[in-house]
Amino acid sequence: MNTTTQIKILIFTITLAFCNFQSVVYGQNRATGDTESKAEKLFKNGEYTEAQKLYSNLVALYPKEPVYNYRYGACILYSEPEKSQAIKYLNFAAATSESPVEAYYFAGLGYHYNYRFVEALKYYTKFQSNAKNRDLKK
């Protein structure tokens, strides 16, 4: 084989590998999007035990995502007897600026359930001062 043929084969192989990589990444993103939308729907419908399973997977894949952490922590509060497990996730979510304001409420609730009233009051106050009227009514 001459050099030109070898270069063509190499370029073809690299192109093929790149196409396969992109389809794997796209497929994973689509699967994550499906999981996220199912989890969000379950969470909003109050089906916390089912949503917890999905958010557990999402937190495992994206441990730094504040929304996944806050919702996973909230699911733990509503579906697990051991409420202290939720604090780790709720703390992380409440500490980031990208979190929804509800993360403060659920962090307060997590501390409240664990009889840590000073921390609970801190997060409840933070929620109350940052939430809109509709969030406060909810």
Side-chain angles (χ1 to χ4, degrees):
M1 258 193 275
N2 63 25
T3 313
T4 308
T5 306
Q6 287 177 335
I7 291 174
K8 286 180 181 179
I9 291 172
L10 180 63
I11 290 172
F12 176 75
T13 306
I14 291 171
T15 304
L16 187 61
F18 180 74
C19 289
N20 284 337
F21 174 75
Q22 270 201 311
S23 67
V24 167
V25 169
Y26 175 73
Q28 185 178 14
N29 287 341
R30 197 171 117 214
T32 300
D34 291 344
T35 302
E36 180 181 21
S37 63
K38 286 178 189 174
E40 184 177 356
K41 183 178 179 182
L42 290 167
F43 186 85
K44 288 183 177 182
N45 289 335
E47 298 176 49
Y48 300 109
T49 303
E50 293 303 313
Q52 180 184 354
K53 296 170 189 171
L54 299 176
Y55 280 117
S56 174
N57 292 336
L58 290 168
V59 166
L61 288 172
Y62 304 100
K64 303 289 185 200
E65 174 56 48
V67 173
Y68 296 161
N69 277 276
Y70 121 71
R71 288 187 176 164
Y72 181 56
C75 288
I76 290 171
L77 290 179
Y78 288 123
S79 60
E80 294 292 326
E82 186 56 49
K83 310 291 186 208
S84 63
Q85 297 173 6
I87 291 177
K88 169 184 161 185
Y89 302 99
L90 295 168
N91 259 346
F92 174 79
T96 61
S97 60
E98 300 110 39
S99 287
V101 70
E102 292 89 357
Y104 298 132
Y105 171 78
F106 282 105
L109 192 61
Y111 281 114
H112 189 151
Y113 284 160
N114 285 283
Y115 304 102
R116 295 173 62 182
F117 300 117
V118 173
E119 291 101 331
L121 188 58
K122 178 182 107 175
Y123 282 111
Y124 284 147
T125 304
K126 209 168 189 177
F127 171 72
Q128 191 173 21
S129 63
N130 290 303
K132 296 178 180 167
N133 283 337
R134 65 180 159 84
D135 294 325
L136 290 170
K137 287 179 184 179
K138 233 169 61 176

